[in-house]
Structure formats: structure tokens, C-alpha cells
Amino acid sequence: MSKAIQAIRGMNDLLPETLALWQRIEQTAEAVLSTYGYREIRFPIIEKTELYKRSIGEVTDIVEKEMYTFEDRNGDSLTLRPEGTAGCVRAGIENGLLHNQVQRLWYAGPMFRHERPQKGRYRQFHQIGVEAFGIGTPDIDAELIFLTARLWRLLNIHGLELQINSLGTPAARVHYRQVLVDYLRGHYETLDEDSRRRLETNPLRVLDSKNPAMQALIASAPNLHEHLDEESRRHFEQLCAYLQAANIPYRVNPRLVRGLDYYTRTVFEWVTTHLGAQGTVCAGGRYDGLVEQLGGQPTPAAGFALGLERLAELAALQQVAGADRSPQVYVAPLGGGQIAQRGLTLAEQLRDAGLRVELHCGGGSLKSQLKRADRSGARYALLLGEAELAAAQVSVKNLRVDEPQQQVGLAEVPALLRARLAGGAAQ
Ligand code: HAM
């Protein structure tokens, strides 16, 4: 036997057991998004490398070392999308969706980053992303946060802390950057190798360092908040007021800088301590300059993306139930020929009545069929043997409650089961 080929490290197969919970999350998210007026958009998984360089920023971890970039057969440099905002903005501009209008859009799908895999951090992972274009006021920042809070509530997920911060305007950031660089230069010996490199290229990211030896230095670094421009300060205060009025608890985290360069003003993350090191389940913020930077008209924008692997893991820890897709009825034809044919027809009729039905195919004894019926998760097995065929009946066996088997005329079965299955779990 030849050696089996294995999946790429950090890229996971998602099996049916796991997907029940994912589907529950996706369906709930879709329903919540539509109640806020967001519409789905789909764009390619591969884009020109230039798009990500120009939007995420040349000097970010993602662009410097995490992108799956390759030359295609024409010699063009292409990249598997490491995130969705850039592609969404590109598609919005290219299709004329963003000019002088408000657009609320969402997307879902795989993203690719060549990070070091660990629990909660994968090389292929999945996001649901949400982007709102054309609104510069903090009401939309608040709405995006309300939307996520509603999603956690509907999914019955708790233990997520909302952290918010403001990065100010690009001009205010340039000013703060200088203040920060002066401070960090003054403590050059304490900086680790990574931070020394970032000091030259992207000093704000030094604040994001997870190195324990750097934490004291970071804690007493100059505070971005003290260097915010007046307009950004007002924007942030208004957002805080909206959150308070809606009773959404939050923590202002002045060290929250995010790993992508396009953010302006508001940034936020929903963080949990239940998942270990990779505790950010959902993250985003405002990016007022990106549309113009990518060739569109100046258009304010804000959005976020949630990581499905992390959210599903948290949901599983908190025993959130997955979407129920198991069959309700198991049809067991106890013979071939006419009996098998009746089984096929009966299963179709039950599906016409809106039931989820698994048909036993391939024959087998009563015992083995009942074993499979039990394992399928169905509540009822319908047994079809010679005697039933002759009497145009079927034996209805409750697989979950001990009660006598019941003979029911074939024509009555769909309505009877529908009524019973609608009538609570115990029946
Ligand atoms: P991000 O913070 O890079 O932001 O990713 C958002 C979320 O995706 C993270 O909070 C996390 O849950 C998940 N995630 C990121 N990387 C991984 C990974 N390697 N493995 C598993 N999950 C991961 C963005 O991508 C922005 N585009 C969000 C945004 C939208 N900002 C504005 N609009």
C-alpha cells in the first residue's frame, strides 16, 4: 500500500460532527446580519499581491511573512487572501458599490496565513466579515458592536470582553509615532530583537508585543489617547456613550493597536480568556482611508471579522447545541424487490411531507437495521416486511421511548409522523 497523503500543516478538515455547530453559528449570524440590513458579497479567494500590500501595509507581519504568494502561469504575483476587507473594498470599488452611497456588506469563507500553527491559530481559517461603507459617524461603529453582542446573546455565548480603543487620524498617529519612537529609543537596551526592528518600520506594533520581558516598558509607554486629535476624541467619546446607553460593558485598552495598517479611529476586539493564547474571537474597526487608498473616492468605512474556528471552539466549551440535521425517521425495508421499492417510495413521501429521512439501503437483518436506525439519531424507525407489504401498512417503532410498536396504514404515516415530531421530544 502506498503511503497516504496528509493535509497541509495548519489546514484542517472540518468533519460533519464539528460542522453542526458551525452551521448553527453561520445560520444565526446570517439571520442577525439580515436584521441589520447587511447583504452578502462574494469575491475571489485569490487576488493580486499588490492589493494586500497596499491595504494591509508593507510592514506588517501578514505581508512580511505570512502570505501565501505565488506566481501564476503568466508570471503575475498572486496571493491567497489573508483577510477579507481588502478584497471587499476592491470588489466594491470595481463594481461601483461604494460611490456616494451607504453599503452594508458581509462575506464568509476561508482565509490563509502562514503563521505558526497552534490551538486557535491555523494556516487556513474561516471568517465571517462585515463591512459598512459611507458612514463616518460613530453610530455605525456602535451598530457593528451591537450586532456582535446580539450574536453572542442569540448563541448563548458568554465570557467575551469588549475592548475598544481609538487610533486617531493618520496625522495624529504620525505625531504620536514620533513621541513613541523617542520613548522607545530611550529604552533601546530593553527592546527585544523584534521590537528593535519594528522601531524603525512600524513602532506602534511594539505595543502589541507579547514578550513578558517587554511588558513593563510597554505599560509605561506614552499613551496614544493623550495624543488624539480633537475630532477623534469626540468620535470615541460618542461611541462610549452609545455603548453605555445600550448597556454593553467595555474596557478601553490603550494598547490595542491591531495588526493591519488600514485602521483609523475606532478599533475593537472581543476577547476571551477561555481559549488560551488565541483569545481574540472577533476584531475590527474603522478604516476611513482605505477606499481612497485603493483607488476609490474618499469613503469612510468600518467593519470587523470573527474567527469561526475560535468562536466554534468557545461555543463547544459552553455546550452550545449544533444545528440538528440528523434524520427524524429511519425507513427499514426488510427485504429486496417489492419491499425495497416500497421503502424507496415511502421515504420520498415522507420527504414530501417535510421530514428528514434516512433510508436503509443495501439490505440486512432486522437486528442490524435497527442498530443502524438507533445510531442515525432518528426518533422513529419504520419497519417494512412481507406482512406489512401485504396489508399496505408499516410498523412504527419509537426508538427513544419504550412503547408498543404500532401498525399504521401507508397513506396515513406521513401525517401521523409529522404531527408526532412536531409535538415535543418525548413522543
Ligand atoms: P484580524 O484581526 O486579522 O482582522 O482577524 C479577525 C479574526 O480572525 C481574529 O480575531 C481571529 O478570530 C481570526 N483569525 C485571524 N487569524 C487567524 C488564524 N491564523 N487562525 C484562526 N483564526 C484567525 C481582519 O482580518 C480584518 N479584516 C477585520 C476587519 C474587517 N476589520 C475591518 N473590517
Side-chain angles (χ1 to χ4, degrees):
M1 222 163 43
S2 54
K3 195 163 174 265
I5 297 173
Q6 301 201 323
I8 301 166
R9 199 162 107 84
M11 305 212 179
N12 300 317
D13 301 311
L14 293 163
L15 305 182
E17 296 296 309
T18 310
L19 282 177
L21 192 49
W22 281 54
Q23 283 160 350
R24 169 91 201 286
I25 294 172
E26 286 163 353
Q27 283 160 9
T28 312
E30 232 180 291
V32 170
L33 283 159
S34 71
T35 66
Y36 284 79
Y38 286 80
R39 297 180 305 154
E40 186 181 3
I41 181 167
R42 299 186 189 192
F43 42 86
I45 285 178
I46 305 174
E47 300 266 3
K48 293 182 180 149
T49 304
E50 192 54 29
L51 174 68
Y52 301 117
K53 286 193 175 167
R54 257 165 75 180
S55 48
I56 297 168
E58 299 260 7
V59 197
T60 53
D61 284 351
I62 296 179
V63 170
E64 276 187 337
K65 48 190 187 200
E66 293 170 2
M67 293 205 304
Y68 281 89
T69 297
F70 60 96
E71 264 190 18
D72 75 355
R73 289 172 193 276
N74 302 329
D76 295 328
S77 178
L78 306 181
T79 295
L80 286 178
R81 64 183 184 196
E83 59 104 51
T85 308
C88 186
V89 170
R90 200 265 317 129
I93 296 171
E94 198 166 331
N95 295 286
L97 301 183
L98 307 186
H99 189 41
N100 270 341
Q101 48 190 314
V102 166
Q103 281 289 351
R104 287 178 166 86
L105 301 172
W106 70 270
Y107 50 85
M111 309 289 161
F112 304 85
R113 297 184 195 174
H114 196 273
E115 297 192 75
R116 204 156 38 78
Q118 56 168 252
K119 184 171 157 335
R121 188 165 72 193
Y122 309 104
R123 290 182 172 170
Q124 174 177 298
F125 59 97
H126 298 76
Q127 288 185 343
I128 296 179
V130 179
E131 317 286 0
F133 296 97
I135 308 163
T137 42
D139 41 4
I140 191 72
D141 309 21
E143 185 191 90
L144 288 163
I145 292 174
F146 290 4
L147 190 161
T148 48
R150 181 179 295 273
L151 180 59
W152 314 149
R153 219 162 44 237
L154 287 176
L155 287 171
N156 211 6
I157 284 176
H158 39 89
L160 282 169
E161 182 192 53
L162 173 63
Q163 300 185 3
I164 59 174
N165 191 22
S166 176
L167 301 180
T169 58
R173 270 234 293 289
V174 169
H175 169 68
Y176 171 70
R177 185 187 151 117
Q178 196 48 53
V179 175
L180 184 64
V181 167
D182 291 346
Y183 167 82
L184 294 173
R185 285 240 166 83
H187 297 83
Y188 197 75
E189 331 71 61
T190 322
L191 298 182
D192 59 16
E193 197 185 320
D194 221 29
S195 301
R196 285 181 183 175
R197 199 172 50 81
R198 284 182 171 152
L199 178 63
E200 304 304 330
T201 52
N202 197 350
L204 256 72
R205 295 282 293 150
V206 174
L207 301 179
D208 219 21
S209 166
K210 303 282 180 286
N211 183 352
M214 295 271 303
Q215 296 312 308
L217 182 72
I218 290 171
S220 25
N223 196 326
L224 179 55
H225 267 270
E226 282 148 25
H227 299 269
L228 279 187
D229 54 289
E230 197 40 46
E231 188 52 36
S232 295
R233 191 191 308 279
R234 264 205 303 278
H235 186 106
F236 190 65
E237 279 164 8
Q238 186 64 64
L239 170 63
C240 293
Y242 289 147
L243 294 175
Q244 280 157 25
N247 278 327
I248 297 183
Y250 62 89
R251 182 163 77 80
V252 177
N253 176 1
R255 307 283 165 229
L256 189 67
V257 290
R258 310 278 300 121
L260 305 96
D261 278 357
Y262 48 62
Y263 291 107
T264 52
R265 298 204 168 137
T266 311
V267 289
F268 67 91
E269 292 192 353
W270 287 94
V271 183
T272 177
T273 51
H274 301 288
L275 294 177
Q278 305 304 321
T280 305
V281 167
C282 170
R286 181 163 278 289
Y287 49 97
D288 291 335
L290 184 60
V291 176
E292 190 179 9
Q293 208 175 306
L294 291 179
Q297 298 294 320
T299 307
F304 67 83
L306 62 83
L308 273 168
E309 279 80 2
R310 294 185 194 174
L311 185 58
E313 174 77 23
L314 185 62
L317 283 176
Q318 299 182 354
Q319 259 106 53
V320 173
D324 187 7
R325 296 287 167 86
S326 54
Q328 297 163 300
V329 182
Y330 194 93
V331 175
L334 304 168
Q338 286 264 298
I339 295 178
Q341 188 182 316
R342 184 62 65 82
L344 278 162
T345 315
L346 177 61
E348 286 301 312
Q349 284 164 347
L350 293 164
R351 292 180 189 121
D352 288 344
L355 300 174
R356 296 191 301 273
V357 183
E358 184 171 332
L359 172 67
H360 186 98
C361 293
S365 67
L366 172 65
K367 195 171 156 215
S368 71
Q369 293 206 32
L370 279 178
K371 211 161 139 187
R372 285 235 224 136
D374 186 47
R375 243 188 284 148
S376 75
R379 196 142 3 120
Y380 293 100
L382 302 187
L383 312 178
L384 252 175
E386 294 285 356
E388 282 88 357
L389 187 71
Q393 284 186 333
V394 66
S395 299
V396 179
K397 181 174 172 58
N398 192 329
L399 294 164
R400 310 297 154 200
V401 174
D402 197 11
E403 63 182 22
Q405 243 165 254
Q406 196 186 350
Q407 307 296 311
V408 181
L410 278 173
E412 287 85 61
V413 165
L416 176 94
L417 288 181
R418 226 171 53 169
R420 284 211 192 170
L421 285 160
Q427 291 188 50

